[in-house]
Amino acid sequence: MQICATIPEARAACRAARANRKGLGLVPTMGALHEGHLSLVRAAKAQCDAVAVSIFVNPTQFGPTEDLSKYPRPFDRDCQLLEKEGIDILFAPPVDEIYPNGQVTWVQIEGLSEKLDGRSRPGHFRGVTTIVSKLFHILEPDAAFFGQKDAAQLAVIRRMVEDLNFPVEIVACPIVRESDGLAMSSRNAYLNREERGRALVLRRSLQEVQQEFQNGERIAAKLIAAAKDVFAREPQVVLDYFEIVDPDTLDPVERISQKTLVTVAANVGSTRLIDNLVLNL
């Protein structure tokens, strides 16, 4: 595994990998790797001949009251995990390598970046799309692998790739869950024991919607009401949003008649968690 800390190093390593092999896959991360990240790495290895992973805690996607300073950074452990998976290139730049003169140029996906997490976290998706576009320019991957857990992010990045003509295939990989059903997230480490139990309400609310859907319910408002009833039984968890939307536009749907995204965000103590499921007729 070649570890690159600078843009010229990473660019040269990725170009060499592409010259010698058929395709380069990229897994962008902020580190604090868990099995969800590693599932993306394995998917990239299965589809591509060479795999690059980036570790960069991107300050531009954190709001002024969010957890940038305490975000976990177990770099040595992450390196060991990636070495074990057999990746080819690790790009782990410092902040001043990516933003040497601050940041005045942004990639903004209008109409999508303000929905769901973008509504709750103003500027978040602008930071995401800016760093992802930088990684695409620097590393020039043939395919990039993202988790379905960040469904709104997936929609935003797909639209960016379409609009800016990036020659990159965006591959969505399934949500990986803990044994009790909680979606894996680096932020799960913030939860104490009691909060960890309460956090399962996100999964229960989605399961309730799934059950009602399987029973024949197609009216989104009724499905959302059923989910909110589940949250009402866990009052210490603060619901941010529970929405049923088109997976591409993130616009709310009134009646489910095609593939539809059910997405939830909530605060468990001081930790914000998200989860989702896709309904298919």
Side-chain angles (χ1 to χ4, degrees):
M1 183 175 74
Q2 183 176 353
I3 301 177
C4 305
T6 70
I7 290 172
E9 285 177 324
R11 186 167 276 154
C14 289
R15 286 178 176 171
R18 285 194 311 278
N20 295 327
R21 309 187 190 190
K22 294 179 182 177
L24 175 67
L26 170 64
V27 180
T29 82
M30 294 205 301
L33 303 180
H34 51 67
E35 189 62 27
H37 298 110
L38 299 182
S39 73
L40 303 181
V41 171
R42 292 167 196 145
K45 284 179 66 67
Q47 183 170 327
C48 305
D49 296 295
V51 174
V53 174
S54 63
I55 291 179
F56 181 67
V57 182
N58 178 35
T60 66
Q61 69 190 67
F62 285 79
T65 63
E66 293 182 336
D67 53 1
L68 174 61
S69 62
K70 69 173 185 175
Y71 197 86
R73 295 169 172 83
F75 184 71
D76 290 342
R77 175 183 172 276
D78 288 347
C79 287
Q80 291 172 5
L81 291 172
L82 294 173
E83 187 90 59
K84 185 177 180 181
E85 294 295 331
I87 73 158
D88 300 273
I89 299 160
L90 171 58
F91 181 38
V95 172
D96 59 5
E97 181 71 13
I98 298 297
Y99 302 117
N101 302 304
Q103 187 72 10
V104 296
T105 303
W106 302 95
V107 177
Q108 174 85 5
I109 313 304
E110 295 184 0
L112 278 178
S113 294
E114 303 79 24
K115 297 174 181 176
L116 299 180
D117 293 290
R119 183 177 60 244
S120 303
R121 306 173 68 190
H124 169 70
F125 283 132
R126 183 181 75 164
V128 169
T129 45
T130 299
I131 187 58
V132 171
S133 67
K134 280 176 172 278
L135 291 171
F136 287 176
H137 280 302
I138 293 166
L139 306 178
E140 298 181 313
D142 297 288
F145 296 76
F146 295 87
Q148 173 64 31
K149 182 174 76 72
D150 298 299
Q153 174 179 276
L154 262 173
V156 170
I157 289 173
R158 281 184 168 137
R159 186 57 189 263
M160 178 188 77
V161 166
E162 178 184 349
D163 285 357
L164 298 184
N165 306 111
F166 280 109
V168 182
E169 178 189 0
I170 302 301
V171 181
C173 298
I175 297 173
V176 177
R177 298 185 179 277
E178 305 282 1
S179 60
D180 58 7
L182 184 66
M184 286 193 175
S185 170
S186 300
R187 288 187 167 88
N188 290 351
Y190 300 157
L191 301 170
N192 62 36
R193 187 173 180 177
E194 289 183 356
E195 290 170 341
R196 182 70 173 69
R198 293 177 192 138
L200 297 176
V201 68
L202 279 79
R203 178 63 171 157
R204 290 199 303 273
S205 69
L206 294 172
Q207 289 174 322
E208 180 69 17
V209 168
Q210 179 82 65
Q211 185 62 53
E212 291 293 320
F213 177 77
Q214 290 174 347
N215 290 341
E217 183 59 70
R218 297 292 182 267
I219 305 302
K222 292 183 179 179
L223 294 172
I224 292 170
K228 289 184 175 179
D229 284 344
V230 175
F231 269 92
R233 296 192 289 273
E234 196 68 72
Q236 291 177 293
V237 175
V238 180
L239 181 64
D240 179 4
Y241 63 76
F242 195 104
E243 294 194 28
I244 299 178
V245 300
D246 180 286
D248 296 319
T249 67
L250 305 182
D251 289 330
V253 300
E254 294 183 0
R255 183 179 182 87
I256 298 170
S257 59
Q258 57 189 5
K259 182 179 177 181
T260 304
L261 176 68
V262 183
T263 183
V264 58
N267 291 294
V268 184
S270 61
T271 303
R272 188 174 187 276
L273 300 176
I274 61 174
D275 203 346
N276 67 81
L277 65 80
V278 175
L279 297 178
N280 287 295
L281 291 174

